[in-house]
Structures are given as C-alpha cells and as structure tokens.
C-alpha cells in the first residue's frame, strides 16, 4: 500500500480511497457490484437483495450475493442452502441455489447456523474483505452485497474496500424515513458510491376480503419528498406479502414473483448495458 504525500482533503485524486481497496480474487471476474443497504435495520434489506438476485437471474444474468451482514446473516436461509462452503487451492468456493446464484455468507462457514458471531469490528471487517479477496466467484455479471444496517464500521469497510458500481437503498414508509434515507445517501455520497435509487418496502397491504390497498406505515410522501430533495429516484414500492415471507422462511426465495420490483431490476440491468 502506497502512502500519499499531500493533503487529500484539498485535491480530487482520491488516493486514500484507492489505497484502501482490496484486490478481487484472481480467479473471479465480476462486471458490476451493487450494494443493497439501509439506514436502519428491520426494513427487509436481505429479502430485497435476494429478490433482486433472483429476478436478474431470470433475465439470464450470472449473479452472486456476498452476505456482508456478518452478525445477522440470512441469505443462505432464504435460498434453502444448508451445505457448507468448501475450499481448494484456488480459494473458498461459494455455494449455489437452484438458479445457480452464487452465495457466500458467514453461516456457510459455521458448524452451527445458530452459533452467534461475537466478534469485534476489525475481525468482522476482515471477514467481509475475505469474501471479496478469497472467494472464487468465477464469472459474474453482477454481484449483490447484502449490507449490514446503518452507517457504521462494516458499511464503511465495504464502501472503502470494494469498488461499487451502484447502491440501492431500502427503506419503509414511516415518517422518520426522510432522516434515515438522508444519512444513508450522504454516507454513500461521501465515499463516491453512486445511488441507483430507493426501494420502499412494506409500502402497503392488500385486504384479502375487499381488495383495498391499506398503507399501514404511511402514505409514502416522506420518501417522495426525500427522493426529490436528494435527486434520487424511487425505483420500487413493495407491498407486504405473506406469501413472500413464507417462501423466504421455507428457503424458497427463488419461487418468488414480485413484479413491483421491476424498476429496481431495470436500474441494475442498465449498469450492464
């Protein structure tokens, strides 16, 4: 790692940022890397990541998911992957679902899925970096990174260590969304990560009796206002769907059909075209 010899705050060379980037595994070729992040937990970020990957795979792309949520991994569960990752002389080999979506998660390395990861920040950050440097991803059109929530140490590690081509921010309709969205957007902006847009999850629920659409957590105006002020589009609004939740719990996320997410998939596909 080279050291710069001037004040980086007064120039545009970004040398300090470049110094922190890790080298992709030599047996991997990844065209685009897209982070899926959120300003807070509990917004369905992992399920959105999984559905984006599934829909991109349905369009014929080679897709992978790097589960960077080390202390709360859920991607293997959504895909029903119970096999453990293995390694060879080339590196760590990711597991695959039925649609050949490659997955790497800390749960694929633990003997017991329920074993808590009680690690300090630097160790967690090191694990995330190894998923980039030591995993043999092969040839991928797009790698999605399921980010941990918030704007702390691990999101910072991902932003600084991996060259990201885009970021999808997941949120919910509550009134506090404007502040949370702004924090996530500003962090990405500080680290020069392009924002593809916002996905509003849990946007509404459809009454099973009368078919009326009910906005349980708000009418979405807070996100519209935040998106307009930040100059970032709202790519999708996803309703609460018991079937999607059931398929995730059953490890059958690849069976999910979510037409409402098409706008976000289009934005990712545009990066490749």
């Amino acid at each position: 790692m080279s050291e710069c010899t001037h004040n980086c705050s007064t120039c545009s060379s970004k040398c300090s940022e470049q110094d922190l980037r890790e080298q992709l595994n030599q047996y991997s070729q990844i065209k685009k890397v897209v982070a899926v992040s959120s300003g807070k937990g509990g917004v369905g970020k992992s399920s959105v990541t999984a559905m984006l990957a599934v829909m991109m795979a349905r369009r014929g792309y080679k897709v992978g998911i790097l589960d960077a949520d080390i202390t709360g991994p859920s991607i293997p569960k959504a895909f029903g992957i119970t096999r453990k990752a293995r390694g060879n002389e080339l590196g760590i080999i990711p597991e695959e679902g039925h649609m050949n979506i490659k997955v790497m998660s800390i749960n694929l390395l633990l003997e017991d899925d329920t074993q808590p990861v009680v690690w300090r920040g630097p160790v967690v950050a090191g694990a995330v970096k190894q998923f980039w440097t030591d995993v043999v991803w092969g040839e991928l059109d797009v790698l999605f990174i399921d980010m941990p929530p918030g704007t702390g140490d691990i999101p910072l590690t991902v932003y600084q260590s991996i060259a990201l081509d885009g970021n999808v921010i997941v949120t919910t309709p509550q009134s506090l969304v404007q502040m949370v969205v702004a924090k996530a957007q500003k962090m990405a902006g500080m680290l020069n990560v392009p924002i593809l847009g916002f996905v509003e999850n849990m946007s509404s629920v459809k009454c099973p009796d009368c078919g009326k659409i009910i906005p349980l957590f708000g009418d979405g105006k807070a996100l519209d206002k935040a998106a307009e002020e930040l100059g970032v589009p709202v790519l999708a609004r996803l309703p609460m769907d018991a079937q999607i939740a059931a398929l995730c719990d059953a490890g059958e996320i690849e069976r999910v059909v979510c037409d409402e997410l098409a706008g976000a998939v289009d934005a990712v596909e545009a990066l490749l075209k």
Side-chain angles (χ1 to χ4, degrees):
M1 181 181 296
S2 62
E3 296 183 4
C4 64
T5 57
H6 59 275
N7 183 359
C8 294
S9 65
T10 62
C11 76
S12 58
S13 63
K14 303 176 187 175
C15 52
S16 59
E17 175 184 323
Q18 294 167 0
D19 283 344
L20 293 174
R21 287 184 178 172
E22 299 290 337
Q23 186 69 37
L24 176 64
N25 174 270
Q26 61 178 320
Y27 302 105
S28 304
Q29 295 179 343
I30 302 174
K31 293 180 181 177
K32 299 295 179 182
V33 183
V34 176
V36 182
S37 62
S38 63
K40 61 188 292 295
V43 300
K45 167 186 49 59
S46 295
S47 61
V48 170
T49 303
M51 288 191 290
L52 281 171
V54 168
M55 293 179 70
M56 285 294 289
R58 285 192 185 130
R59 294 188 182 188
Y61 294 104
K62 297 177 182 178
V63 184
I65 302 177
L66 189 162
D67 189 353
D69 195 351
I70 301 296
T71 59
S74 56
I75 294 297
K77 170 68 173 177
F79 283 88
I81 297 174
T82 57
R83 302 177 302 275
K84 298 304 178 183
R86 60 197 187 283
N88 59 26
E89 66 279 4
L90 304 181
I92 303 171
I93 309 301
E95 283 298 331
E96 296 185 14
H98 298 294
M99 298 177 68
N100 299 320
I101 296 172
K102 296 183 178 181
V103 173
M104 177 48 62
S105 171
I106 195 66
N107 261 10
L108 301 181
L109 301 175
L110 300 175
E111 291 185 6
D112 182 1
D113 290 349
T114 63
Q115 179 181 342
V117 179
V118 187
W119 296 346
R120 295 192 182 276
V123 181
V124 176
V128 172
K129 291 179 182 179
Q130 282 188 288
F131 287 172
W132 178 254
T133 60
D134 295 359
V135 173
V136 183
W137 292 103
E139 293 186 11
L140 294 180
D141 292 307
V142 59
L143 175 69
F144 290 101
I145 300 182
D146 183 20
M147 300 279 284
T151 56
D153 185 44
I154 307 309
L156 180 61
T157 296
V158 174
Y159 284 145
Q160 290 183 325
S161 302
I162 300 174
L164 298 175
D165 299 288
N167 190 4
V168 174
I169 298 178
V170 182
T171 185
T172 52
Q174 288 97 331
S175 58
L176 57 77
V177 69
Q178 193 170 354
M179 175 189 69
V180 172
V181 163
K183 286 180 180 291
Q185 190 268 348
K186 288 179 179 178
M187 178 180 185
M190 289 167 60
L191 298 165
N192 302 299
V193 178
I195 304 293
L196 300 183
F198 301 119
V199 170
E200 184 181 78
N201 199 21
M202 309 179 199
S203 180
S204 61
V205 65
K206 184 177 182 179
C207 175
D209 296 322
C210 67
K212 182 179 179 181
I213 302 299
I214 305 170
L216 291 178
F217 302 117
D219 56 11
K221 291 182 178 179
L223 178 59
D224 288 335
K225 182 178 180 182
E228 182 179 359
E229 291 178 352
L230 298 171
V232 178
V234 178
L235 299 173
R237 283 190 158 91
L238 310 183
M240 298 182 70
D241 190 324
Q243 184 180 18
I244 291 178
L247 289 172
C248 283
D249 289 342
E252 299 179 352
I253 190 73
E254 288 152 308
R255 293 177 52 197
V256 166
V257 176
C258 184
D259 295 334
E260 293 86 354
L261 195 57
V265 180
D266 290 341
V268 175
E269 189 174 37
L271 290 176
L272 293 166
K273 294 184 175 180

